[in-house]
Amino acid sequence: MSNVIETRNLRYRAGRNFEIRELSLNVPAGSIYGFLGPNGSGKTTTIALLMGQLRASQGSIKVLGQSMPEAAPRILARTGFVPERPHLYPTLTVEEVLRYHASFYQSWDWRRADELFGRFELDRSLKIAALSKGETGKLMMLLALAQNPDLLVLDEPTDGLDPVVRRAMIIAVLDYVSQRDAAVFISSHLVHELERICDWVGVMDNGKLVTEMPMQTFKSGIKRLRVTGAPALVEDPPFVLLSRDTGETLGAGEVWVVRGWQTPMQQYFEGIGASLREVVDLDLEEGFVELLRTFRTPRAQG
Amino acid sequence: MCDRMFRTGVRGTGVAVLLACIAGTSPARLEAQDVASYRARVDSIARLWEAARESAARADSARRAAITVDTIIRGALVVMTTPQFVDVVEPAAQLAWEQLGATLREDTALMRGRAFYVVSTESEDPVPERIRREAEVIAYADGSTFEDVAMRIGQRIEIAAIADLDESTSLFFGHHVPLRPYADREWTKVYVELATAPWSLVRACYLGDLGRCAEASDVPAADDPVTEWYDAADRRRYVAADPRWYHERDPRRTQCIDAGSDRACLDLMRSLEPGELRPPLSERARRSLAVAALELGGDGAYGRMLSEASHGPEQRLMSAAGVSRDSLFAAWHARVLAAGPESPTITRVAGWTAFFWVIAFATLAARSSRWRRA
Amino acid sequence: MFKAILYTQWKWSRVVVALSVVIAFALPIMSVQRAGITEPSRWEVRELLRTIEMWSVWYAVFAAGLGLLIATTAWAQDHRGRHVYALSLPIPRWQYAMLRFAAGSLLLAAPVVALWIGALLATAMAQIPPGLNAYPNALALRFALAAFLAYSIFFAISAGTTRTAAYVLAVIGALVVTQVMLQASGMYGGLVEALFDRVITWPGPLEIFTGRWMLIDV
């Protein structure tokens, strides 16, 4: 099995103004796949489709090698899911939720649950309704990890949490992955967070998958260049010109953002009579922003 | 004199006279009058009153004469009414006739000569004199359906029919001969009475002792009803249940109920006037005997019941039924038992049907969609 | 799994169940409090029957209300969470619905048994006048069937989506509107009555509600 999640030409319409279109995702086995996208781009809807809670109008979904939703119970038995919003029964206590949840999973690991309890410092006697946002997040992560899943699907799991809790949760996920060699599909708009842990990245915008590639490729391919003496119109560059800030001041040069940069491409500038002064690596967030800007206004390539 | 005028009851036309009376008897005026002038005044008022009364009578006669009456004839049943009520009265007469015909069959001819005038209680038209003489007036409430009017006609016929019978029979049936088919619910009421009555005769009757049924119905008439109808325990119960002695605070009541003195009970019950002591079976149950007799007797049963050759309830019932007393009571008893109310127990079919629906709805629930937005 | 579902449902509806057990036990006892007449007159017997008949209405209302409450509490928490949690559990939806149904049925059995015991006690303690009979078993069976039927109807509606509930309401609303329009136009207006008759007479689903709910009867 090369991919734990595989969708082909998925289509789903949610209301009048939003549609998931031709979504073809590939989440490799054993990877930590960061699913990026601005708010409202369709990340949560895509996850609901993957978890069999929404019915796609077109296309196919395979999770852990089985078709969703036909094999939903078998897939869900091997998948740990942390939804975007808390969904646990608010009138039950933490202990009751734990027992309730455990009864549905044959692979439930009480030892891991107890260990995570200690690490997360949760009070078993508290009612779900009385838990803080951070405690609720930790409990949901605990439930997902203690069921020993082959795949973790986490929908903005750390959104709105303080850095300490975020860190504790991320460490728990990484620990688990290192022990079980499980795949993680994690959506977030907190790009910095994903940058550190993900080895694959997929970017959604307005219901479409913009790009999907290894994190290293994504990060290294996007550069900010400082260029002087470039002509107004550049033709057939060997890279993708994402943006060009032409406001040259005091001889500092123009700022170009490019994708697919490789060092031998420096010679291109000599060919057009320009001079490359500086090549700056962009972090994931800057790359993400530039990528979305290009996607929304393709003509920026100039 | 004014008092006498009020008692004449012609109040509608006497309003003016009334005002004159009040004016004539005011204290200020009396002081200034001598006897002669007072007498002259009274005579003058009397003349005024007479004139008003004559005038009212003439107007009333004219109105009565002007009223148009429609006559509806269904078989031997003659029903009259004013044109505005024909729409209700005509189908009512038809229905009443069909109901009577079902019981009386060929004896419906015996109805001939009876006429009824049906009028709404809201009607302001006076009943014409001719109609008053020829027909019985039946008033019905405005807004009644034709079924209600048919029932009123039927009731009046039943009440009228009892007038043709002797006093003992009239008393036996409670002044009301049932000439229309008994509805099932009426038979059910008789069943409930038999099943729940506290009297030993009725209990025995319910359990199938037909001789006791006859005794409880007072067929034949009892020589000493107090002892023949009720045993000692029944008598104590009877005295306890009858409010008259309670209100009179008769000491014999206490002796009868609390001290258990049967003599006191007997004394009290024998102190009742003839006809005041209620037989163990109610009028409804006794009337149902007549219905059973008419059903059993077939054609001519009603005629035989009315026949002058018969006298008293027993004779009339036997004549109508055309069978022996035992056979009549056997038929009646079977009819009553057949009308027992629906049992509170659940039939197998009803139980399984309910179970089927539980499973059906549970299956529907099992088809609950797994889609959050279908 | 069933134990866990039963526990949650017990937790959500335990107040309803506890209250209904008390009511179910008390109802038959209260309905026969006039039955201690050893030598009743005919009028007293009728009064007793009338009283029993008056109380009988409450058994039907109680059965329907109980079914409604147990059914809606079974689904209320899932509705509140938009079913996300229930749908993320590794179990087919039909199986989940049936487990919830079975758990609710088990909870419903408590007031049914309470009513049965109450009816048996009430009739055993009361001196029933001659001619009348006690029907504690029949009453308990009728109550059980009616309560389970009401429960299954409301459970089926609750298990559906909001759209399903809207469809049910829309059909009822359309019937009422049609009835009103037919009546206004002077045409036959007995549509709703005719349908209602079909529902409450055999083999309609609500026939069990229309029988005699008499604890004591002739």
Side-chain angles (χ1 to χ4, degrees), chain B residues 4 33-34 57-58 69 88-90 102 109-110 128 136 202 226 239 241 272 276 291 294 317 323 342 349 351 365:
Chain B
R4 204 167 63 233
Q33 286 173 340
D34 57 14
R58 273 199 302 277
V69 173
V88 176
V89 175
E90 194 164 16
L110 295 168
E136 290 181 50
V202 182
V226 175
V239 170
L272 294 170
E276 277 189 344
V291 175
L294 291 172
L317 284 172
V323 295
E342 181 199 348
V349 173

mmCIF file of all heavy atoms in Angstrom, chain B residues 4 33-34 57-58 69 88-90 102 109-110 128 136 202 226 239 241 272 276 291 294 317 323 342 349 351 365:
data_model
loop_
_atom_site.group_PDB
_atom_site.id
_atom_site.type_symbol
_atom_site.label_atom_id
_atom_site.label_comp_id
_atom_site.label_asym_id
_atom_site.label_seq_id
_atom_site.Cartn_x
_atom_site.Cartn_y
_atom_site.Cartn_z
ATOM 1 N N ARG B 4 -104.916 41.196 39.217
ATOM 2 C CA ARG B 4 -105.682 40.228 38.443
ATOM 3 C C ARG B 4 -105.278 40.313 36.970
ATOM 4 O O ARG B 4 -105.161 39.312 36.277
ATOM 5 C CB ARG B 4 -107.170 40.491 38.628
ATOM 6 C CG ARG B 4 -108.000 39.233 38.371
ATOM 7 C CD ARG B 4 -109.421 39.364 38.833
ATOM 8 N NE ARG B 4 -110.163 40.397 38.148
ATOM 9 C CZ ARG B 4 -110.817 41.348 38.767
ATOM 10 N NH1 ARG B 4 -110.793 41.425 40.087
ATOM 11 N NH2 ARG B 4 -111.501 42.245 38.088
ATOM 12 N N GLN B 33 -108.152 62.156 45.282
ATOM 13 C CA GLN B 33 -109.306 61.497 44.667
ATOM 14 C C GLN B 33 -110.320 61.071 45.717
ATOM 15 O O GLN B 33 -109.963 60.578 46.779
ATOM 16 C CB GLN B 33 -108.820 60.267 43.904
ATOM 17 C CG GLN B 33 -108.117 60.638 42.612
ATOM 18 C CD GLN B 33 -107.508 59.400 41.972
ATOM 19 O OE1 GLN B 33 -107.300 58.399 42.617
ATOM 20 N NE2 GLN B 33 -107.253 59.524 40.691
ATOM 21 N N ASP B 34 -111.578 61.171 45.300
ATOM 22 C CA ASP B 34 -112.598 60.568 46.173
ATOM 23 C C ASP B 34 -112.975 59.214 45.584
ATOM 24 O O ASP B 34 -112.477 58.823 44.524
ATOM 25 C CB ASP B 34 -113.810 61.493 46.324
ATOM 26 C CG ASP B 34 -114.407 61.842 44.976
ATOM 27 O OD1 ASP B 34 -114.041 61.138 43.976
ATOM 28 O OD2 ASP B 34 -115.181 62.779 44.901
ATOM 29 N N ALA B 57 -105.736 39.512 20.594
ATOM 30 C CA ALA B 57 -106.289 38.224 20.167
ATOM 31 C C ALA B 57 -106.559 38.233 18.671
ATOM 32 O O ALA B 57 -106.312 37.227 17.972
ATOM 33 C CB ALA B 57 -107.583 37.950 20.942
ATOM 34 N N ARG B 58 -107.106 39.384 18.184
ATOM 35 C CA ARG B 58 -107.393 39.477 16.737
ATOM 36 C C ARG B 58 -106.092 39.377 15.931
ATOM 37 O O ARG B 58 -106.005 38.654 14.934
ATOM 38 C CB ARG B 58 -108.094 40.809 16.447
ATOM 39 C CG ARG B 58 -109.612 40.745 16.612
ATOM 40 C CD ARG B 58 -110.274 41.910 15.864
ATOM 41 N NE ARG B 58 -109.789 43.210 16.332
ATOM 42 C CZ ARG B 58 -110.266 43.829 17.414
ATOM 43 N NH1 ARG B 58 -111.216 43.259 18.162
ATOM 44 N NH2 ARG B 58 -109.791 45.002 17.755
ATOM 45 N N VAL B 69 -98.561 25.769 6.608
ATOM 46 C CA VAL B 69 -98.054 24.530 7.201
ATOM 47 C C VAL B 69 -97.876 23.484 6.118
ATOM 48 O O VAL B 69 -98.775 23.259 5.310
ATOM 49 C CB VAL B 69 -99.025 24.014 8.290
ATOM 50 C CG1 VAL B 69 -98.586 22.634 8.781
ATOM 51 C CG2 VAL B 69 -99.091 24.992 9.435
ATOM 52 N N VAL B 88 -85.111 20.129 7.224
ATOM 53 C CA VAL B 88 -84.661 19.294 8.346
ATOM 54 C C VAL B 88 -85.708 18.237 8.680
ATOM 55 O O VAL B 88 -85.393 17.069 8.914
ATOM 56 C CB VAL B 88 -84.389 20.176 9.596
ATOM 57 C CG1 VAL B 88 -84.027 19.316 10.794
ATOM 58 C CG2 VAL B 88 -83.282 21.159 9.304
ATOM 59 N N VAL B 89 -86.965 18.668 8.662
ATOM 60 C CA VAL B 89 -88.034 17.798 9.167
ATOM 61 C C VAL B 89 -88.328 16.645 8.201
ATOM 62 O O VAL B 89 -88.609 15.520 8.624
ATOM 63 C CB VAL B 89 -89.302 18.629 9.459
ATOM 64 C CG1 VAL B 89 -90.452 17.733 9.870
ATOM 65 C CG2 VAL B 89 -89.004 19.642 10.556
ATOM 66 N N GLU B 90 -88.215 16.897 6.915
ATOM 67 C CA GLU B 90 -88.552 15.845 5.940
ATOM 68 C C GLU B 90 -87.634 14.616 6.086
ATOM 69 O O GLU B 90 -88.136 13.504 6.257
ATOM 70 C CB GLU B 90 -88.491 16.413 4.522
ATOM 71 C CG GLU B 90 -89.148 15.483 3.528
ATOM 72 C CD GLU B 90 -89.457 16.188 2.209
ATOM 73 O OE1 GLU B 90 -88.891 17.267 1.977
ATOM 74 O OE2 GLU B 90 -90.273 15.652 1.449
ATOM 75 N N ALA B 102 -88.915 -0.699 11.403
ATOM 76 C CA ALA B 102 -88.057 -1.845 11.694
ATOM 77 C C ALA B 102 -88.567 -2.621 12.899
ATOM 78 O O ALA B 102 -88.396 -3.832 12.991
ATOM 79 C CB ALA B 102 -86.641 -1.360 11.950
ATOM 80 N N ALA B 109 -99.435 0.453 10.889
ATOM 81 C CA ALA B 109 -100.778 0.986 10.621
ATOM 82 C C ALA B 109 -101.424 1.501 11.900
ATOM 83 O O ALA B 109 -102.266 2.406 11.860
ATOM 84 C CB ALA B 109 -101.639 -0.108 9.990
ATOM 85 N N LEU B 110 -100.946 0.934 13.030
ATOM 86 C CA LEU B 110 -101.529 1.364 14.301
ATOM 87 C C LEU B 110 -101.160 2.808 14.642
ATOM 88 O O LEU B 110 -101.713 3.397 15.566
ATOM 89 C CB LEU B 110 -101.069 0.427 15.423
ATOM 90 C CG LEU B 110 -101.569 -1.019 15.278
ATOM 91 C CD1 LEU B 110 -100.854 -1.945 16.244
ATOM 92 C CD2 LEU B 110 -103.075 -1.074 15.526
ATOM 93 N N PRO B 128 -100.677 27.271 14.910
ATOM 94 C CA PRO B 128 -102.071 27.488 14.481
ATOM 95 C C PRO B 128 -103.048 26.664 15.313
ATOM 96 O O PRO B 128 -102.721 25.543 15.727
ATOM 97 C CB PRO B 128 -102.053 27.007 13.026
ATOM 98 C CG PRO B 128 -100.641 27.095 12.605
ATOM 99 C CD PRO B 128 -99.837 26.811 13.820
ATOM 100 N N GLU B 136 -99.601 16.722 17.989
ATOM 101 C CA GLU B 136 -98.766 16.981 19.168
ATOM 102 C C GLU B 136 -97.580 17.833 18.728
ATOM 103 O O GLU B 136 -96.979 17.565 17.687
ATOM 104 C CB GLU B 136 -98.221 15.670 19.739
ATOM 105 C CG GLU B 136 -99.296 14.840 20.385
ATOM 106 C CD GLU B 136 -98.710 13.553 20.951
ATOM 107 O OE1 GLU B 136 -97.714 13.650 21.678
ATOM 108 O OE2 GLU B 136 -99.232 12.490 20.614
ATOM 109 N N VAL B 202 -80.645 -10.095 40.797
ATOM 110 C CA VAL B 202 -80.027 -9.686 39.536
ATOM 111 C C VAL B 202 -78.723 -10.450 39.306
ATOM 112 O O VAL B 202 -78.413 -10.853 38.189
ATOM 113 C CB VAL B 202 -79.781 -8.161 39.507
ATOM 114 C CG1 VAL B 202 -79.191 -7.724 38.171
ATOM 115 C CG2 VAL B 202 -81.091 -7.418 39.740
ATOM 116 N N VAL B 226 -91.259 -6.353 48.750
ATOM 117 C CA VAL B 226 -90.133 -6.084 49.657
ATOM 118 C C VAL B 226 -89.362 -7.371 49.959
ATOM 119 O O VAL B 226 -88.131 -7.388 49.977
ATOM 120 C CB VAL B 226 -90.636 -5.426 50.962
ATOM 121 C CG1 VAL B 226 -89.487 -5.261 51.960
ATOM 122 C CG2 VAL B 226 -91.261 -4.088 50.667
ATOM 123 N N VAL B 239 -81.862 0.317 51.850
ATOM 124 C CA VAL B 239 -82.128 1.420 52.784
ATOM 125 C C VAL B 239 -80.912 2.370 52.830
ATOM 126 O O VAL B 239 -81.058 3.586 52.840
ATOM 127 C CB VAL B 239 -82.461 0.858 54.190
ATOM 128 C CG1 VAL B 239 -82.489 1.983 55.235
ATOM 129 C CG2 VAL B 239 -83.794 0.124 54.162
ATOM 130 N N ALA B 241 -78.808 2.958 50.532
ATOM 131 C CA ALA B 241 -78.602 3.707 49.283
ATOM 132 C C ALA B 241 -79.692 4.738 49.042
ATOM 133 O O ALA B 241 -79.494 5.668 48.253
ATOM 134 C CB ALA B 241 -78.550 2.731 48.108
ATOM 135 N N LEU B 272 -93.216 2.641 52.099
ATOM 136 C CA LEU B 272 -93.259 3.329 50.804
ATOM 137 C C LEU B 272 -94.616 3.149 50.136
ATOM 138 O O LEU B 272 -95.277 2.122 50.302
ATOM 139 C CB LEU B 272 -92.178 2.775 49.874
ATOM 140 C CG LEU B 272 -90.735 3.032 50.286
ATOM 141 C CD1 LEU B 272 -89.771 2.221 49.426
ATOM 142 C CD2 LEU B 272 -90.417 4.511 50.168
ATOM 143 N N GLU B 276 -93.466 3.185 44.616
ATOM 144 C CA GLU B 276 -92.248 3.902 45.023
ATOM 145 C C GLU B 276 -91.063 2.952 45.210
ATOM 146 O O GLU B 276 -89.911 3.351 45.085
ATOM 147 C CB GLU B 276 -92.487 4.656 46.334
ATOM 148 C CG GLU B 276 -93.142 5.999 46.126
ATOM 149 C CD GLU B 276 -93.172 6.817 47.401
ATOM 150 O OE1 GLU B 276 -92.976 6.276 48.504
ATOM 151 O OE2 GLU B 276 -93.408 8.024 47.278
ATOM 152 N N VAL B 291 -88.383 -4.722 23.961
ATOM 153 C CA VAL B 291 -87.684 -4.746 22.674
ATOM 154 C C VAL B 291 -87.448 -6.194 22.241
ATOM 155 O O VAL B 291 -87.690 -6.567 21.092
ATOM 156 C CB VAL B 291 -86.330 -3.997 22.780
ATOM 157 C CG1 VAL B 291 -85.549 -4.114 21.480
ATOM 158 C CG2 VAL B 291 -86.554 -2.544 23.110
ATOM 159 N N LEU B 294 -90.750 -7.712 21.108
ATOM 160 C CA LEU B 294 -91.166 -7.249 19.773
ATOM 161 C C LEU B 294 -90.290 -7.889 18.691
ATOM 162 O O LEU B 294 -90.786 -8.263 17.622
ATOM 163 C CB LEU B 294 -91.084 -5.720 19.692
ATOM 164 C CG LEU B 294 -92.125 -4.969 20.537
ATOM 165 C CD1 LEU B 294 -91.833 -3.474 20.536
ATOM 166 C CD2 LEU B 294 -93.534 -5.218 20.024
ATOM 167 N N LEU B 317 -96.298 -8.686 27.303
ATOM 168 C CA LEU B 317 -94.982 -9.144 26.805
ATOM 169 C C LEU B 317 -95.108 -10.523 26.155
ATOM 170 O O LEU B 317 -94.559 -10.768 25.066
ATOM 171 C CB LEU B 317 -93.965 -9.213 27.958
ATOM 172 C CG LEU B 317 -93.408 -7.884 28.445
ATOM 173 C CD1 LEU B 317 -92.574 -8.073 29.711
ATOM 174 C CD2 LEU B 317 -92.536 -7.247 27.364
ATOM 175 N N VAL B 323 -94.273 -16.332 22.647
ATOM 176 C CA VAL B 323 -93.584 -17.512 23.193
ATOM 177 C C VAL B 323 -93.808 -17.547 24.706
ATOM 178 O O VAL B 323 -94.376 -16.604 25.270
ATOM 179 C CB VAL B 323 -92.061 -17.478 22.915
ATOM 180 C CG1 VAL B 323 -91.760 -17.556 21.437
ATOM 181 C CG2 VAL B 323 -91.430 -16.223 23.526
ATOM 182 N N GLU B 342 -66.746 -4.364 25.123
ATOM 183 C CA GLU B 342 -65.468 -4.867 24.631
ATOM 184 C C GLU B 342 -64.558 -5.150 25.839
ATOM 185 O O GLU B 342 -64.478 -4.351 26.753
ATOM 186 C CB GLU B 342 -64.847 -3.772 23.763
ATOM 187 C CG GLU B 342 -63.535 -4.125 23.160
ATOM 188 C CD GLU B 342 -62.767 -2.870 22.712
ATOM 189 O OE1 GLU B 342 -63.385 -1.782 22.675
ATOM 190 O OE2 GLU B 342 -61.592 -2.992 22.404
ATOM 191 N N VAL B 349 -54.790 -10.749 17.704
ATOM 192 C CA VAL B 349 -54.567 -9.982 16.468
ATOM 193 C C VAL B 349 -54.087 -8.568 16.792
ATOM 194 O O VAL B 349 -53.117 -8.069 16.210
ATOM 195 C CB VAL B 349 -55.873 -9.926 15.630
ATOM 196 C CG1 VAL B 349 -55.706 -9.007 14.436
ATOM 197 C CG2 VAL B 349 -56.275 -11.315 15.190
ATOM 198 N N GLY B 351 -52.638 -7.511 19.495
ATOM 199 C CA GLY B 351 -51.294 -7.570 20.078
ATOM 200 C C GLY B 351 -50.219 -7.722 19.020
ATOM 201 O O GLY B 351 -49.235 -6.976 18.999
ATOM 202 N N ALA B 365 -36.158 3.307 11.648
ATOM 203 C CA ALA B 365 -35.084 3.981 12.401
ATOM 204 C C ALA B 365 -33.726 3.424 11.997
ATOM 205 O O ALA B 365 -32.745 4.166 11.915
ATOM 206 C CB ALA B 365 -35.310 3.798 13.897
#
